[in-house]
Amino acid sequence: MQELPPAILFILLPLDSVEELCNKTSNPCSSNPCLQNATCLGSAGNLSFTCKCPAGYKGPACERAASECDTNPCEHGGTCQSGLAGPTCLCSAGYTGRLCERDVDECSSEPCRNGALCRDGVGQYSCYCVPGYQGKHCDLECLSQPCLNGGTCHDSLGSFSCSCARGFLGDLCDVNECYMNPCQNGGICENFPGNYTCHCPPADKEGIFYGGWNCTEVLHGCTDHQCQNNGICIPHLKNGQHGFSCICSPGSRQGFSSWKRVPFILQLVSRWGWTICSADCCSQRAAWGPEGNMAQSG
């Protein structure tokens, strides 16, 4: 049997069949292009269509399983990770919450010390220090140089300490050593930078002389010695050795001694014309000039 041309076949079809055939060929949804029971949206005479995918699928024909991270639910730059329990957000610094929707209060841990004001920022904080403190957490005091008199400052968390130079004490090295009364037995303390000196008295009421660094040593230099011609014996301690000097009355030969610094001895020398010897020099006489200067006798 000879086939009829399509045009002749179209003419031979009933009118209802022709309309149905046209609708099928002109409506793109007639072939059910959408998968997963998706709804196809199209119209007759228009070859394009749209698939309205059910939850969990995506693509032009709903052919791919959808990930919840595709919609990027994480806020403030958070990174979305898919999982069995749903999406998880890895938040950027300074944010928290399931979707990174909340700003973290960095001041909640009270990082600022010593009464400083904390001001929160995005992923950071700032400390506004009270006078006398510095540093990120206002815990550094050494920058203000609190240690006095050459002391060295050492910072620690929330505090500091001073290593004092010799001669000074106290938390801030503001106490000199003489304030601690190191000189005993009536000695007079004289403070120097990094040190002190005790000026020991000539003798106590019992006639005992004291010497040594803090005037604690009883001096024995005159125990077995007596100066001649009514000279006064003054014991001393030098390099751990006990010795003596004689203070001679006017007319005796003058020698040398460091005892000139002792007040009452200085008075004997300057006012009464006594002389000081480093040994028993009082046995040699000397004549004095008209102005009180000693002249060697022949």
Side-chain angles (χ1 to χ4, degrees):
M1 180 177 177
Q2 185 179 1
E3 290 188 9
L4 295 175
I8 297 175
L9 179 62
F10 180 79
I11 295 174
L12 296 176
L13 290 174
L15 182 60
D16 292 341
S17 298
V18 172
E19 291 179 354
E20 181 178 355
L21 177 62
C22 291
N23 288 337
K24 286 184 178 180
T25 56
S26 62
N27 189 348
C29 290
S30 60
S31 61
N32 295 321
C34 299
L35 305 176
Q36 313 300 338
N37 295 320
T39 301
C40 183
L41 301 177
S43 60
N46 190 347
L47 296 179
S48 64
F49 64 92
T50 302
C51 294
K52 186 176 181 181
C53 303
Y57 294 92
K58 66 178 182 177
C62 305
E63 72 277 9
R64 297 196 310 271
S67 169
E68 293 185 58
C69 286
D70 291 340
T71 59
N72 192 21
C74 303
E75 301 179 21
H76 301 110
T79 302
C80 184
Q81 291 185 334
S82 297
L84 296 177
T88 301
C89 292
L90 299 179
C91 302
S92 302
Y95 293 96
T96 187
R98 190 177 70 85
L99 300 177
C100 307
E101 72 278 10
R102 297 198 310 273
D103 177 29
V104 174
D105 182 7
E106 280 82 10
C107 289
S108 61
S109 61
E110 299 181 354
C112 303
R113 318 290 264 178
N114 300 304
L117 173 65
C118 184
R119 183 162 294 172
D120 182 41
V122 178
Q124 62 181 354
Y125 60 90
S126 300
C127 293
Y128 294 85
C129 308
V130 299
Y133 295 91
Q134 301 184 49
K136 177 176 175 59
H137 300 104
C138 302
D139 56 353
L140 300 179
E141 297 179 80
C142 286
L143 295 179
S144 62
Q145 299 179 345
C147 303
L148 305 177
N149 299 306
T152 302
C153 187
H154 305 281
D155 265 315
S156 57
L157 185 60
S159 64
F160 71 97
S161 61
C162 293
S163 296
C164 302
R166 286 190 59 190
F168 294 93
L169 303 170
D171 293 338
L172 300 178
C173 305
D174 56 342
V175 179
N176 70 42
E177 292 179 311
C178 285
Y179 290 164
M180 306 302 292
N181 296 321
C183 303
Q184 305 296 308
N185 300 303
I188 298 175
C189 185
E190 183 179 358
N191 190 69
F192 298 100
N195 211 336
Y196 70 95
T197 295
C198 288
H199 298 286
C200 305
D204 63 7
K205 60 183 180 180
E206 298 177 357
I208 300 176
F209 285 86
Y210 292 94
W213 186 256
N214 291 323
C215 303
T216 56
E217 291 266 359
V218 177
L219 305 182
H220 303 291
C222 292
T223 301
D224 298 322
H225 182 81
Q226 184 175 2
C227 298
Q228 301 181 22
N229 298 307
N230 296 319
I232 300 175
C233 183
I234 303 296
H236 58 75
L237 182 67
K238 184 177 182 180
N239 297 327
Q241 300 295 319
H242 289 271
F244 69 94
S245 297
C246 288
I247 299 180
C248 305
S249 59
S252 299
R253 186 178 178 86
Q254 184 179 18
F256 171 80
S257 174
S258 60
W259 285 96
K260 291 181 180 179
R261 296 185 63 186
V262 179
F264 100 101
I265 296 175
L266 183 61
Q267 183 179 12
L268 290 177
V269 173
S270 62
R271 182 174 180 180
W272 303 106
W274 290 56
T275 59
I276 304 173
C277 301
S278 58
D280 185 9
C281 61
C282 298
S283 58
Q284 302 183 34
R285 306 293 294 176
W288 290 79
E291 297 182 0
N293 295 322
M294 187 187 72
Q296 179 71 43
S297 61

